[in-house]
């Protein structure tokens, strides 16, 4: 993903609206591009600050920009584990069916 594409995804990321594929690309780019990371930090602080002032969020709902990225990484990790678990369960069921027949 290029910087311009990532910059368009700041708000969808903040609002948890990215697909898994886009989230993976977004996080990979954020880890590799210090300029986008710095710009994201500014956007995140501004957006969350405005939302806080408009009473759309509580102060307890506001995490740091770094924490938001870490939560997204944890989500992806759990997503991958669940996907692997489903694959293993499917494979075990297929093997069971073959052995049962």
């Amino acid at each position: 993903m290029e910087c311009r594409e990532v910059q368009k995804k700041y708000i969808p990321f903040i609002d948890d609206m990215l697909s898994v594929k886009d989230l993976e690309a977004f996080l990979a780019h954020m880890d590799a591009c210090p300029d986008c990371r710095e710009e994201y930090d500014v956007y995140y602080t501004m957006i969350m600050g405005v939302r806080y002032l408009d009473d759309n969020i509580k102060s307890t709902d506001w995490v740091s920009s770094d924490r938001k990225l870490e939560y997204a990484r944890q989500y992806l990790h759990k997503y991958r584990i669940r996907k692997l678990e489903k694959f293993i369960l499917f494979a075990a069921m297929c093997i069971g069916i073959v052995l049962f027949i």
Side-chain angles (χ1 to χ4, degrees), residues 28-93:
H29 185 88
M30 295 299 279
D31 289 340
C33 182
D35 292 336
C36 285
R37 177 64 182 267
E38 184 177 336
E39 187 174 337
Y40 157 75
D41 288 338
V42 171
Y43 268 82
Y44 182 83
T45 302
M46 288 185 343
I47 290 167
M48 295 305 284
V50 168
R51 289 179 182 178
Y52 176 74
L53 291 174
D54 287 342
D55 293 330
N56 290 338
I57 62 167
K58 301 174 193 161
S59 60
T60 56
D61 294 336
W62 186 351
V63 297
S64 70
S65 59
D66 291 338
R67 196 75 165 144
K68 177 75 175 172
L69 290 169
E70 183 56 34
Y71 287 158
R73 285 185 194 95
Q74 290 172 2
Y75 169 81
L76 278 180
H77 180 73
K78 290 175 185 175
Y79 175 84
R80 290 177 185 136
I81 289 173
R82 282 192 303 267
K83 192 173 179 179
L84 180 61
E85 287 172 343
K86 289 177 185 178
F87 176 77
I88 291 170
L89 179 61
F90 178 74
M93 288 174 57

Side-chain angles (χ1 to χ4, degrees), residues 93-101:
M93 288 174 57
C94 290
I95 292 169
I97 289 171
V98 169
L99 292 176
F100 185 70
I101 295 177

